[in-house]
């Protein structure tokens, strides 16, 4: 309830919601409204959660890019909160270890407001259909 009320107040007063990372999603039509329409409200409640998640994924991709330049490996794409990396066979462990380091050490420093540990799953395969989960 407190979260919802704070979102409504932010919409009424400023016409936007601010993410913990400092980015904003604007809802100029909601500024000054007494009653916030349901569709604005749902989008406004969801925006900081999904936007912050996106910021964390982008941060991870940037950190990985720097690291992957040392190996025959590259970021290929993201799908929602998944990062697909192509690497030559034999380098999987180094890449997975680096993602683990980013999750445990770098993300908490970059996003100190985040109060939950970053846990990820890793899978390896020749193609999407043959991915096998790796237990870390």
């Amino acid at each position: 309830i407190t979260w919802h009320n704070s979102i409504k107040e932010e919409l009424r007063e400023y016409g936007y919601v601010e993410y913990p990372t400092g980015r904003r999603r604007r809802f100029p039509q909601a500024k000054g409204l007494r009653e916030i329409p349901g569709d604005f409200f749902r989008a406004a409640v969801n925006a900081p959660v999904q936007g912050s998640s996106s910021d964390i994924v982008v941060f991870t991709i940037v950190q990985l890019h720097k690291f992957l330049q040392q190996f025959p490996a590259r970021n290929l794409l993201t799908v929602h909160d998944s990062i697909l990396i192509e690497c030559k066979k034999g380098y999987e462990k180094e890449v997975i270890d680096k993602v683990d380091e980013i999750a445990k050490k770098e993300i908490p420093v970059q996003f100190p407001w985040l109060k939950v540990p970053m846990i990820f799953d890793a899978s390896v395969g020749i193609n999407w259909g043959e991915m096998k989960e790796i237990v870390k």
Side-chain angles (χ1 to χ4, degrees), residues 18-45:
E18 190 167 83
Y19 304 0
T21 57
R23 285 196 304 135
R24 296 175 179 168
R25 172 136 185 227
R26 299 185 188 289
F27 298 88
Q29 307 90 329
K31 188 173 181 178
L33 292 180
R34 192 169 191 172
E35 280 298 313
I36 303 297
D39 54 340
F40 287 161
F41 179 67
R42 282 187 294 281
V45 166

Side-chain angles (χ1 to χ4, degrees), residues 9-24:
E9 285 305 312
E10 223 175 334
L11 286 173
R12 278 188 201 107
E13 188 172 343
Y14 306 111
Y16 63 79
V17 291
E18 190 167 83
Y19 304 0
T21 57
R23 285 196 304 135
R24 296 175 179 168

Side-chain angles (χ1 to χ4, degrees), residues 118-130:
M118 299 282 22
I119 299 169
F120 70 95
D121 298 321
S123 299
V124 174
I126 297 290
N127 59 46
W128 281 74
E130 297 180 25

Side-chain angles (χ1 to χ4, degrees), residues 52-100:
S52 297
S53 175
S54 175
D55 291 342
I56 292 167
V57 170
V58 169
F59 172 79
T60 303
I61 290 169
V62 169
Q63 298 310 109
L64 278 172
H65 177 73
K66 295 173 191 174
F67 174 78
L68 293 176
Q69 290 177 344
Q70 306 169 48
F71 300 98
R74 63 187 173 139
N75 288 319
L76 281 184
L77 58 97
T78 62
V79 179
H80 301 289
D81 62 351
S82 297
I83 301 170
L84 182 64
I85 299 167
E86 179 181 70
C87 71
K88 191 170 181 178
K89 192 171 182 161
Y91 292 94
E92 303 92 354
K93 181 172 177 3
E94 287 91 342
V95 172
I96 291 168
D97 288 348
K98 180 60 176 178
V99 174
D100 193 49

